[in-house]
Amino acid sequence: MSASNDDNAERKMQFLYALRSHGVTDARVLSAMEKVDRGPFVRGHFAMRAYEDTPLPIACGQTISQPSVVGLMTQALKINPRDKVLEVGTGSGYQAAILSHLARRIYTIERHPRLVREATALFRELDLTNITTVMGDGSFGLPDQAPFDRILVTAAAEDPPGPLLEQLKPGGIMVLPVGQSDAVQSLIRVTRLEDGFDYDELRQVRFVPLIEGISRDT
Ligand code: SAH
């Protein structure tokens, strides 16, 4: 084995170790995260830090989430292979790429045209054909494709947006950070019951805010 193969294997082992030591223990989630190389999702001079368990800046002033937080959110969703999943906040596309290995169909919405373009190109390059990227304000969900088995929001709202609650199937699960944008936020899991919703608080997190409307940047 060449030195660079050794380096890659070592890097992958450390990456998976960091996930496990932060509580990501679900075998299917770990296997999906092993399949998705975070490198292509981080551009520019932060690319060399792609394998660290840390959030990093991406274009449009946004961030790619910390891998262990991605793992914990994915695990909390309890995805079944036949599920149709909605992600709000495509960003780099890293989270959607992981979801694409776990569920049948992924819809992901982003309000920055540039991030939509770059993620779409990357999904095509990586042959992730079950992801559809949509440009829009994800706080309204995606009524055309609703209802969803699972919804994952990767930007923080003050409260769970009403349209997203409506677009969740009975028995469905939504995971999202809630709280004021720069104060402490809580990651919560909402389960839709036949006659209401069940809320469960998972941990403290810090995400960029969910912003209304689409961005005018090109
Ligand atoms: N899941 C991403 C994390 C991106 S950070 C990843 O794996 O890289 C959150 C993203 O949510 C940002 O790209 C931001 O532009 C987007 N966002 C914020 N408010 C939004 C809204 N109302 N609709 C769609 N996307 C939104």
Side-chain angles (χ1 to χ4, degrees), residues 41 56 58-65 70 87-98 108-112 115 134-140 152-156 207-215:
F41 296 91
L56 292 168
I58 56 171
C60 308
Q62 303 304 314
T63 45
I64 177 171
S65 313
V70 169
E87 180 197 24
V88 175
T90 314
S92 67
Y94 179 63
Q95 171 77 70
I98 291 163
T108 179
I109 313 185
E110 170 60 53
R111 62 184 291 281
H112 281 287
L115 294 175
V134 180
M135 163 70 202
D137 180 349
S139 43
F140 296 104
L152 181 57
V153 186
T154 65
F207 276 82
V208 296
L210 189 74
I211 297 174
E212 271 179 35
I214 56 171
S215 164

mmCIF file of all heavy atoms in Angstrom, residues 41 56 58-65 70 87-98 108-112 115 134-140 152-156 207-215, ligand 1:
data_model
loop_
_atom_site.group_PDB
_atom_site.id
_atom_site.type_symbol
_atom_site.label_atom_id
_atom_site.label_comp_id
_atom_site.label_asym_id
_atom_site.label_seq_id
_atom_site.Cartn_x
_atom_site.Cartn_y
_atom_site.Cartn_z
ATOM 1 N N PHE A 41 -16.924 18.500 -0.464
ATOM 2 C CA PHE A 41 -17.962 19.429 0.001
ATOM 3 C C PHE A 41 -17.375 20.670 0.671
ATOM 4 O O PHE A 41 -18.095 21.615 0.978
ATOM 5 C CB PHE A 41 -18.918 18.708 0.967
ATOM 6 C CG PHE A 41 -19.678 17.600 0.307
ATOM 7 C CD1 PHE A 41 -19.185 16.301 0.288
ATOM 8 C CD2 PHE A 41 -20.876 17.860 -0.352
ATOM 9 C CE1 PHE A 41 -19.866 15.282 -0.351
ATOM 10 C CE2 PHE A 41 -21.568 16.852 -1.002
ATOM 11 C CZ PHE A 41 -21.062 15.561 -0.998
ATOM 12 N N LEU A 56 -17.082 24.062 9.255
ATOM 13 C CA LEU A 56 -16.163 24.889 8.463
ATOM 14 C C LEU A 56 -16.954 25.853 7.589
ATOM 15 O O LEU A 56 -18.092 25.558 7.203
ATOM 16 C CB LEU A 56 -15.294 23.991 7.568
ATOM 17 C CG LEU A 56 -14.274 23.097 8.276
ATOM 18 C CD1 LEU A 56 -13.701 22.068 7.299
ATOM 19 C CD2 LEU A 56 -13.154 23.926 8.899
ATOM 20 N N ILE A 58 -18.354 27.711 4.349
ATOM 21 C CA ILE A 58 -18.541 27.427 2.922
ATOM 22 C C ILE A 58 -18.953 28.750 2.258
ATOM 23 O O ILE A 58 -18.984 29.777 2.932
ATOM 24 C CB ILE A 58 -19.598 26.305 2.676
ATOM 25 C CG1 ILE A 58 -20.951 26.654 3.331
ATOM 26 C CG2 ILE A 58 -19.087 24.968 3.186
ATOM 27 C CD1 ILE A 58 -22.095 25.716 2.945
ATOM 28 N N ALA A 59 -19.269 28.726 0.981
ATOM 29 C CA ALA A 59 -19.640 29.957 0.262
ATOM 30 C C ALA A 59 -20.887 30.605 0.879
ATOM 31 O O ALA A 59 -21.608 29.970 1.656
ATOM 32 C CB ALA A 59 -19.888 29.624 -1.209
ATOM 33 N N CYS A 60 -21.123 31.865 0.516
ATOM 34 C CA CYS A 60 -22.325 32.611 0.916
ATOM 35 C C CYS A 60 -22.418 32.818 2.424
ATOM 36 O O CYS A 60 -23.517 32.979 2.975
ATOM 37 C CB CYS A 60 -23.603 31.944 0.404
ATOM 38 S SG CYS A 60 -23.595 31.581 -1.353
ATOM 39 N N GLY A 61 -21.278 32.784 3.127
ATOM 40 C CA GLY A 61 -21.272 33.036 4.564
ATOM 41 C C GLY A 61 -21.943 31.942 5.382
ATOM 42 O O GLY A 61 -22.348 32.169 6.526
ATOM 43 N N GLN A 62 -22.066 30.732 4.815
ATOM 44 C CA GLN A 62 -22.737 29.638 5.521
ATOM 45 C C GLN A 62 -21.695 28.663 6.069
ATOM 46 O O GLN A 62 -20.494 28.878 5.911
ATOM 47 C CB GLN A 62 -23.713 28.946 4.566
ATOM 48 C CG GLN A 62 -24.733 29.898 3.969
ATOM 49 C CD GLN A 62 -25.528 30.638 5.043
ATOM 50 O OE1 GLN A 62 -25.998 30.041 6.005
ATOM 51 N NE2 GLN A 62 -25.667 31.953 4.893
ATOM 52 N N THR A 63 -22.159 27.596 6.719
ATOM 53 C CA THR A 63 -21.204 26.611 7.256
ATOM 54 C C THR A 63 -21.647 25.189 6.938
ATOM 55 O O THR A 63 -22.837 24.907 6.867
ATOM 56 C CB THR A 63 -21.071 26.702 8.802
ATOM 57 O OG1 THR A 63 -22.387 26.801 9.363
ATOM 58 C CG2 THR A 63 -20.253 27.865 9.251
ATOM 59 N N ILE A 64 -20.644 24.344 6.750
ATOM 60 C CA ILE A 64 -20.906 22.899 6.678
ATOM 61 C C ILE A 64 -20.836 22.438 8.133
ATOM 62 O O ILE A 64 -19.920 22.796 8.872
ATOM 63 C CB ILE A 64 -19.889 22.166 5.773
ATOM 64 C CG1 ILE A 64 -20.126 20.650 5.768
ATOM 65 C CG2 ILE A 64 -18.444 22.478 6.117
ATOM 66 C CD1 ILE A 64 -19.285 19.903 4.710
ATOM 67 N N SER A 65 -21.843 21.675 8.562
ATOM 68 C CA SER A 65 -21.945 21.298 9.972
ATOM 69 C C SER A 65 -20.815 20.363 10.402
ATOM 70 O O SER A 65 -20.163 19.724 9.576
ATOM 71 C CB SER A 65 -23.282 20.608 10.230
ATOM 72 O OG SER A 65 -24.333 21.334 9.649
ATOM 73 N N VAL A 70 -23.829 16.107 12.378
ATOM 74 C CA VAL A 70 -24.525 15.514 11.225
ATOM 75 C C VAL A 70 -24.920 14.074 11.569
ATOM 76 O O VAL A 70 -26.061 13.652 11.339
ATOM 77 C CB VAL A 70 -23.612 15.534 9.965
ATOM 78 C CG1 VAL A 70 -24.197 14.698 8.832
ATOM 79 C CG2 VAL A 70 -23.375 16.968 9.507
ATOM 80 N N GLU A 87 -34.880 17.811 3.295
ATOM 81 C CA GLU A 87 -33.875 18.548 4.058
ATOM 82 C C GLU A 87 -34.050 20.040 3.749
ATOM 83 O O GLU A 87 -34.144 20.423 2.589
ATOM 84 C CB GLU A 87 -32.451 18.138 3.681
ATOM 85 C CG GLU A 87 -31.425 18.931 4.496
ATOM 86 C CD GLU A 87 -29.993 18.916 3.948
ATOM 87 O OE1 GLU A 87 -29.813 18.706 2.746
ATOM 88 O OE2 GLU A 87 -29.079 19.142 4.738
ATOM 89 N N VAL A 88 -34.067 20.870 4.773
ATOM 90 C CA VAL A 88 -34.103 22.324 4.584
ATOM 91 C C VAL A 88 -32.705 22.857 4.896
ATOM 92 O O VAL A 88 -32.201 22.671 6.010
ATOM 93 C CB VAL A 88 -35.164 22.978 5.499
ATOM 94 C CG1 VAL A 88 -35.106 24.502 5.371
ATOM 95 C CG2 VAL A 88 -36.549 22.461 5.160
ATOM 96 N N GLY A 89 -32.081 23.518 3.910
ATOM 97 C CA GLY A 89 -30.719 24.041 4.092
ATOM 98 C C GLY A 89 -29.675 23.119 3.475
ATOM 99 O O GLY A 89 -28.932 22.447 4.181
ATOM 100 N N THR A 90 -29.620 23.079 2.143
ATOM 101 C CA THR A 90 -28.680 22.191 1.432
ATOM 102 C C THR A 90 -27.231 22.522 1.772
ATOM 103 O O THR A 90 -26.411 21.611 1.940
ATOM 104 C CB THR A 90 -28.858 22.344 -0.098
ATOM 105 O OG1 THR A 90 -30.237 22.311 -0.412
ATOM 106 C CG2 THR A 90 -28.098 21.287 -0.867
ATOM 107 N N GLY A 91 -26.913 23.825 1.829
ATOM 108 C CA GLY A 91 -25.543 24.255 2.094
ATOM 109 C C GLY A 91 -24.563 23.608 1.135
ATOM 110 O O GLY A 91 -24.707 23.707 -0.085
ATOM 111 N N SER A 92 -23.587 22.890 1.673
ATOM 112 C CA SER A 92 -22.577 22.223 0.849
ATOM 113 C C SER A 92 -23.125 20.979 0.151
ATOM 114 O O SER A 92 -22.538 20.486 -0.799
ATOM 115 C CB SER A 92 -21.422 21.780 1.746
ATOM 116 O OG SER A 92 -21.876 20.761 2.633
ATOM 117 N N GLY A 93 -24.214 20.423 0.680
ATOM 118 C CA GLY A 93 -24.759 19.174 0.147
ATOM 119 C C GLY A 93 -24.288 17.938 0.907
ATOM 120 O O GLY A 93 -24.723 16.819 0.629
ATOM 121 N N TYR A 94 -23.410 18.134 1.889
ATOM 122 C CA TYR A 94 -22.829 16.982 2.608
ATOM 123 C C TYR A 94 -23.904 16.147 3.323
ATOM 124 O O TYR A 94 -23.956 14.923 3.187
ATOM 125 C CB TYR A 94 -21.784 17.495 3.604
ATOM 126 C CG TYR A 94 -21.138 16.414 4.433
ATOM 127 C CD1 TYR A 94 -20.373 15.410 3.841
ATOM 128 C CD2 TYR A 94 -21.278 16.399 5.823
ATOM 129 C CE1 TYR A 94 -19.773 14.420 4.609
ATOM 130 C CE2 TYR A 94 -20.668 15.418 6.591
ATOM 131 C CZ TYR A 94 -19.924 14.433 5.986
ATOM 132 O OH TYR A 94 -19.338 13.449 6.752
ATOM 133 N N GLN A 95 -24.768 16.813 4.071
ATOM 134 C CA GLN A 95 -25.818 16.096 4.806
ATOM 135 C C GLN A 95 -26.746 15.342 3.840
ATOM 136 O O GLN A 95 -27.107 14.191 4.086
ATOM 137 C CB GLN A 95 -26.610 17.098 5.659
ATOM 138 C CG GLN A 95 -27.866 16.546 6.303
ATOM 139 C CD GLN A 95 -27.599 15.685 7.531
ATOM 140 O OE1 GLN A 95 -27.198 16.173 8.579
ATOM 141 N NE2 GLN A 95 -27.827 14.386 7.405
ATOM 142 N N ALA A 96 -27.117 15.999 2.738
ATOM 143 C CA ALA A 96 -28.010 15.358 1.756
ATOM 144 C C ALA A 96 -27.350 14.113 1.159
ATOM 145 O O ALA A 96 -28.005 13.097 0.925
ATOM 146 C CB ALA A 96 -28.394 16.345 0.654
ATOM 147 N N ALA A 97 -26.037 14.190 0.920
ATOM 148 C CA ALA A 97 -25.314 13.045 0.353
ATOM 149 C C ALA A 97 -25.385 11.851 1.307
ATOM 150 O O ALA A 97 -25.546 10.703 0.879
ATOM 151 C CB ALA A 97 -23.870 13.430 0.071
ATOM 152 N N ILE A 98 -25.287 12.116 2.598
ATOM 153 C CA ILE A 98 -25.383 11.028 3.578
ATOM 154 C C ILE A 98 -26.806 10.466 3.593
ATOM 155 O O ILE A 98 -27.011 9.250 3.565
ATOM 156 C CB ILE A 98 -24.935 11.526 4.969
ATOM 157 C CG1 ILE A 98 -23.423 11.793 4.918
ATOM 158 C CG2 ILE A 98 -25.271 10.515 6.062
ATOM 159 C CD1 ILE A 98 -22.910 12.648 6.027
ATOM 160 N N THR A 108 -33.982 18.438 -1.207
ATOM 161 C CA THR A 108 -33.255 19.375 -0.358
ATOM 162 C C THR A 108 -33.424 20.785 -0.893
ATOM 163 O O THR A 108 -33.317 21.016 -2.103
ATOM 164 C CB THR A 108 -31.774 18.944 -0.188
ATOM 165 O OG1 THR A 108 -31.099 19.904 0.642
ATOM 166 C CG2 THR A 108 -31.027 18.807 -1.509
ATOM 167 N N ILE A 109 -33.774 21.736 -0.015
ATOM 168 C CA ILE A 109 -34.071 23.116 -0.421
ATOM 169 C C ILE A 109 -33.018 24.069 0.123
ATOM 170 O O ILE A 109 -32.626 23.966 1.289
ATOM 171 C CB ILE A 109 -35.420 23.612 0.152
ATOM 172 C CG1 ILE A 109 -36.520 22.583 -0.051
ATOM 173 C CG2 ILE A 109 -35.829 24.928 -0.488
ATOM 174 C CD1 ILE A 109 -37.871 23.086 0.400
ATOM 175 N N GLU A 110 -32.625 25.034 -0.702
ATOM 176 C CA GLU A 110 -31.632 26.027 -0.301
ATOM 177 C C GLU A 110 -32.029 27.393 -0.877
ATOM 178 O O GLU A 110 -32.522 27.473 -1.989
ATOM 179 C CB GLU A 110 -30.255 25.576 -0.826
ATOM 180 C CG GLU A 110 -29.132 26.572 -0.722
ATOM 181 C CD GLU A 110 -28.837 27.015 0.711
ATOM 182 O OE1 GLU A 110 -28.624 26.174 1.587
ATOM 183 O OE2 GLU A 110 -28.844 28.252 0.943
ATOM 184 N N ARG A 111 -31.764 28.478 -0.097
ATOM 185 C CA ARG A 111 -32.176 29.817 -0.534
ATOM 186 C C ARG A 111 -31.074 30.573 -1.278
ATOM 187 O O ARG A 111 -31.317 31.650 -1.807
ATOM 188 C CB ARG A 111 -32.676 30.638 0.665
ATOM 189 C CG ARG A 111 -31.630 30.892 1.739
ATOM 190 C CD ARG A 111 -32.229 31.623 2.921
ATOM 191 N NE ARG A 111 -32.593 32.991 2.592
ATOM 192 C CZ ARG A 111 -31.730 34.007 2.522
ATOM 193 N NH1 ARG A 111 -30.446 33.817 2.744
ATOM 194 N NH2 ARG A 111 -32.157 35.216 2.232
ATOM 195 N N HIS A 112 -29.835 30.031 -1.332
ATOM 196 C CA HIS A 112 -28.743 30.684 -2.067
ATOM 197 C C HIS A 112 -28.529 29.993 -3.419
ATOM 198 O O HIS A 112 -28.099 28.829 -3.446
ATOM 199 C CB HIS A 112 -27.428 30.609 -1.280
ATOM 200 C CG HIS A 112 -27.318 31.617 -0.187
ATOM 201 N ND1 HIS A 112 -27.114 32.959 -0.434
ATOM 202 C CD2 HIS A 112 -27.387 31.481 1.157
ATOM 203 C CE1 HIS A 112 -27.062 33.609 0.719
ATOM 204 N NE2 HIS A 112 -27.235 32.739 1.699
ATOM 205 N N LEU A 115 -25.203 28.070 -3.909
ATOM 206 C CA LEU A 115 -25.071 26.798 -3.184
ATOM 207 C C LEU A 115 -25.897 25.711 -3.870
ATOM 208 O O LEU A 115 -25.476 24.557 -3.944
ATOM 209 C CB LEU A 115 -25.485 26.976 -1.714
ATOM 210 C CG LEU A 115 -24.572 27.896 -0.889
ATOM 211 C CD1 LEU A 115 -25.143 28.090 0.521
ATOM 212 C CD2 LEU A 115 -23.155 27.339 -0.797
ATOM 213 N N VAL A 134 -33.696 21.884 -4.726
ATOM 214 C CA VAL A 134 -34.690 22.893 -5.075
ATOM 215 C C VAL A 134 -34.241 24.240 -4.537
ATOM 216 O O VAL A 134 -33.785 24.347 -3.395
ATOM 217 C CB VAL A 134 -36.070 22.536 -4.460
ATOM 218 C CG1 VAL A 134 -37.118 23.584 -4.819
ATOM 219 C CG2 VAL A 134 -36.521 21.155 -4.888
ATOM 220 N N MET A 135 -34.376 25.288 -5.372
ATOM 221 C CA MET A 135 -34.054 26.640 -4.950
ATOM 222 C C MET A 135 -35.326 27.254 -4.346
ATOM 223 O O MET A 135 -36.356 27.287 -5.005
ATOM 224 C CB MET A 135 -33.599 27.376 -6.223
ATOM 225 C CG MET A 135 -33.574 28.852 -6.156
ATOM 226 S SD MET A 135 -32.249 29.389 -5.085
ATOM 227 C CE MET A 135 -32.918 30.983 -4.717
ATOM 228 N N GLY A 136 -35.266 27.687 -3.096
ATOM 229 C CA GLY A 136 -36.462 28.282 -2.510
ATOM 230 C C GLY A 136 -36.324 28.517 -1.017
ATOM 231 O O GLY A 136 -35.270 28.255 -0.425
ATOM 232 N N ASP A 137 -37.411 29.026 -0.437
ATOM 233 C CA ASP A 137 -37.461 29.246 1.007
ATOM 234 C C ASP A 137 -38.029 27.983 1.663
ATOM 235 O O ASP A 137 -39.224 27.703 1.573
ATOM 236 C CB ASP A 137 -38.347 30.465 1.303
ATOM 237 C CG ASP A 137 -38.439 30.759 2.798
ATOM 238 O OD1 ASP A 137 -38.000 29.916 3.609
ATOM 239 O OD2 ASP A 137 -38.964 31.829 3.149
ATOM 240 N N GLY A 138 -37.158 27.245 2.320
ATOM 241 C CA GLY A 138 -37.538 25.956 2.889
ATOM 242 C C GLY A 138 -38.457 26.045 4.088
ATOM 243 O O GLY A 138 -38.982 25.034 4.527
ATOM 244 N N SER A 139 -38.673 27.267 4.630
ATOM 245 C CA SER A 139 -39.579 27.332 5.775
ATOM 246 C C SER A 139 -41.022 27.042 5.357
ATOM 247 O O SER A 139 -41.867 26.767 6.196
ATOM 248 C CB SER A 139 -39.451 28.654 6.532
ATOM 249 O OG SER A 139 -39.359 29.713 5.654
ATOM 250 N N PHE A 140 -41.278 27.085 4.031
ATOM 251 C CA PHE A 140 -42.606 26.699 3.541
ATOM 252 C C PHE A 140 -42.651 25.241 3.127
ATOM 253 O O PHE A 140 -43.665 24.764 2.620
ATOM 254 C CB PHE A 140 -43.016 27.596 2.370
ATOM 255 C CG PHE A 140 -43.158 29.030 2.780
ATOM 256 C CD1 PHE A 140 -42.187 29.963 2.464
ATOM 257 C CD2 PHE A 140 -44.256 29.427 3.538
ATOM 258 C CE1 PHE A 140 -42.306 31.282 2.882
ATOM 259 C CE2 PHE A 140 -44.380 30.744 3.959
ATOM 260 C CZ PHE A 140 -43.405 31.669 3.631
ATOM 261 N N LEU A 152 -35.565 17.107 7.946
ATOM 262 C CA LEU A 152 -34.377 17.540 8.679
ATOM 263 C C LEU A 152 -34.122 19.001 8.338
ATOM 264 O O LEU A 152 -34.034 19.360 7.161
ATOM 265 C CB LEU A 152 -33.184 16.684 8.249
ATOM 266 C CG LEU A 152 -31.849 16.973 8.913
ATOM 267 C CD1 LEU A 152 -31.945 16.847 10.424
ATOM 268 C CD2 LEU A 152 -30.791 16.005 8.394
ATOM 269 N N VAL A 153 -34.046 19.850 9.354
ATOM 270 C CA VAL A 153 -33.791 21.262 9.127
ATOM 271 C C VAL A 153 -32.387 21.557 9.648
ATOM 272 O O VAL A 153 -32.076 21.232 10.794
ATOM 273 C CB VAL A 153 -34.833 22.151 9.844
ATOM 274 C CG1 VAL A 153 -34.645 23.618 9.466
ATOM 275 C CG2 VAL A 153 -36.248 21.701 9.514
ATOM 276 N N THR A 154 -31.530 22.175 8.813
ATOM 277 C CA THR A 154 -30.147 22.390 9.244
ATOM 278 C C THR A 154 -29.841 23.871 9.447
ATOM 279 O O THR A 154 -28.696 24.292 9.362
ATOM 280 C CB THR A 154 -29.143 21.736 8.265
ATOM 281 O OG1 THR A 154 -29.230 22.391 7.008
ATOM 282 C CG2 THR A 154 -29.427 20.262 8.079
ATOM 283 N N ALA A 155 -30.888 24.671 9.710
ATOM 284 C CA ALA A 155 -30.722 26.076 10.100
ATOM 285 C C ALA A 155 -31.737 26.317 11.213
ATOM 286 O O ALA A 155 -32.799 25.690 11.233
ATOM 287 C CB ALA A 155 -30.982 26.989 8.910
ATOM 288 N N ALA A 156 -31.400 27.225 12.142
ATOM 289 C CA ALA A 156 -32.232 27.345 13.345
ATOM 290 C C ALA A 156 -33.374 28.346 13.200
ATOM 291 O O ALA A 156 -33.165 29.492 12.808
ATOM 292 C CB ALA A 156 -31.353 27.748 14.526
ATOM 293 N N PHE A 207 -26.386 26.545 15.134
ATOM 294 C CA PHE A 207 -26.545 26.543 13.676
ATOM 295 C C PHE A 207 -26.721 27.966 13.162
ATOM 296 O O PHE A 207 -27.103 28.859 13.926
ATOM 297 C CB PHE A 207 -27.788 25.724 13.285
ATOM 298 C CG PHE A 207 -27.524 24.240 13.186
ATOM 299 C CD1 PHE A 207 -27.524 23.446 14.323
ATOM 300 C CD2 PHE A 207 -27.245 23.650 11.971
ATOM 301 C CE1 PHE A 207 -27.256 22.084 14.251
ATOM 302 C CE2 PHE A 207 -26.969 22.296 11.881
ATOM 303 C CZ PHE A 207 -26.986 21.517 13.022
ATOM 304 N N VAL A 208 -26.490 28.165 11.871
ATOM 305 C CA VAL A 208 -26.813 29.457 11.252
ATOM 306 C C VAL A 208 -28.340 29.602 11.259
ATOM 307 O O VAL A 208 -29.061 28.606 11.314
ATOM 308 C CB VAL A 208 -26.269 29.572 9.797
ATOM 309 C CG1 VAL A 208 -24.754 29.518 9.774
ATOM 310 C CG2 VAL A 208 -26.849 28.490 8.890
ATOM 311 N N PRO A 209 -28.857 30.840 11.219
ATOM 312 C CA PRO A 209 -30.313 31.011 11.313
ATOM 313 C C PRO A 209 -31.060 30.629 10.026
ATOM 314 O O PRO A 209 -30.515 30.738 8.935
ATOM 315 C CB PRO A 209 -30.472 32.514 11.574
ATOM 316 C CG PRO A 209 -29.243 33.138 11.032
ATOM 317 C CD PRO A 209 -28.144 32.127 11.178
ATOM 318 N N LEU A 210 -32.288 30.199 10.204
ATOM 319 C CA LEU A 210 -33.214 30.002 9.091
ATOM 320 C C LEU A 210 -33.700 31.395 8.698
ATOM 321 O O LEU A 210 -34.218 32.134 9.541
ATOM 322 C CB LEU A 210 -34.379 29.131 9.561
ATOM 323 C CG LEU A 210 -35.341 28.639 8.489
ATOM 324 C CD1 LEU A 210 -34.707 27.524 7.658
ATOM 325 C CD2 LEU A 210 -36.626 28.102 9.119
ATOM 326 N N ILE A 211 -33.483 31.765 7.450
ATOM 327 C CA ILE A 211 -33.803 33.128 6.999
ATOM 328 C C ILE A 211 -34.946 33.088 5.994
ATOM 329 O O ILE A 211 -34.967 32.218 5.106
ATOM 330 C CB ILE A 211 -32.542 33.783 6.383
ATOM 331 C CG1 ILE A 211 -31.476 33.907 7.468
ATOM 332 C CG2 ILE A 211 -32.859 35.145 5.762
ATOM 333 C CD1 ILE A 211 -30.141 34.394 6.968
ATOM 334 N N GLU A 212 -35.870 34.041 6.145
ATOM 335 C CA GLU A 212 -37.013 34.066 5.231
ATOM 336 C C GLU A 212 -36.614 34.516 3.841
ATOM 337 O O GLU A 212 -35.724 35.352 3.690
ATOM 338 C CB GLU A 212 -38.057 35.043 5.760
ATOM 339 C CG GLU A 212 -39.040 34.390 6.701
ATOM 340 C CD GLU A 212 -40.044 35.403 7.212
ATOM 341 O OE1 GLU A 212 -40.421 36.317 6.461
ATOM 342 O OE2 GLU A 212 -40.426 35.254 8.388
ATOM 343 N N GLY A 213 -37.310 34.031 2.842
ATOM 344 C CA GLY A 213 -37.116 34.477 1.464
ATOM 345 C C GLY A 213 -35.878 33.888 0.811
ATOM 346 O O GLY A 213 -35.061 33.260 1.476
ATOM 347 N N ILE A 214 -35.760 34.112 -0.501
ATOM 348 C CA ILE A 214 -34.577 33.594 -1.198
ATOM 349 C C ILE A 214 -33.526 34.683 -1.286
ATOM 350 O O ILE A 214 -33.835 35.869 -1.218
ATOM 351 C CB ILE A 214 -34.915 33.043 -2.601
ATOM 352 C CG1 ILE A 214 -35.602 34.113 -3.450
ATOM 353 C CG2 ILE A 214 -35.772 31.808 -2.505
ATOM 354 C CD1 ILE A 214 -35.762 33.719 -4.883
ATOM 355 N N SER A 215 -32.269 34.293 -1.427
ATOM 356 C CA SER A 215 -31.189 35.267 -1.495
ATOM 357 C C SER A 215 -31.131 35.891 -2.888
ATOM 358 O O SER A 215 -31.384 35.222 -3.892
ATOM 359 C CB SER A 215 -29.864 34.574 -1.180
ATOM 360 O OG SER A 215 -28.806 35.381 -1.591
HETATM 361 N N1 SAH B 1 -26.898 20.839 5.583
HETATM 362 C C1 SAH B 1 -25.796 21.732 5.263
HETATM 363 C C2 SAH B 1 -25.576 22.759 6.348
HETATM 364 C C3 SAH B 1 -25.770 24.102 5.774
HETATM 365 S S1 SAH B 1 -25.902 25.460 6.858
HETATM 366 C C4 SAH B 1 -24.536 20.971 4.919
HETATM 367 O O1 SAH B 1 -24.520 19.729 5.039
HETATM 368 O O2 SAH B 1 -23.570 21.592 4.480
HETATM 369 C C5 SAH B 1 -27.609 25.884 6.650
HETATM 370 C C6 SAH B 1 -28.073 26.258 5.271
HETATM 371 O O3 SAH B 1 -29.442 26.648 5.395
HETATM 372 C C7 SAH B 1 -27.359 27.461 4.649
HETATM 373 O O4 SAH B 1 -26.812 27.093 3.419
HETATM 374 C C8 SAH B 1 -28.463 28.505 4.480
HETATM 375 O O5 SAH B 1 -28.333 29.293 3.306
HETATM 376 C C9 SAH B 1 -29.702 27.629 4.425
HETATM 377 N N2 SAH B 1 -30.962 28.311 4.766
HETATM 378 C C10 SAH B 1 -31.199 29.228 5.744
HETATM 379 N N3 SAH B 1 -32.494 29.613 5.722
HETATM 380 C C11 SAH B 1 -33.088 28.910 4.710
HETATM 381 C C12 SAH B 1 -34.419 28.868 4.178
HETATM 382 N N4 SAH B 1 -35.430 29.613 4.687
HETATM 383 N N5 SAH B 1 -34.660 28.040 3.140
HETATM 384 C C13 SAH B 1 -33.683 27.282 2.587
HETATM 385 N N6 SAH B 1 -32.412 27.280 3.044
HETATM 386 C C14 SAH B 1 -32.113 28.081 4.095
#
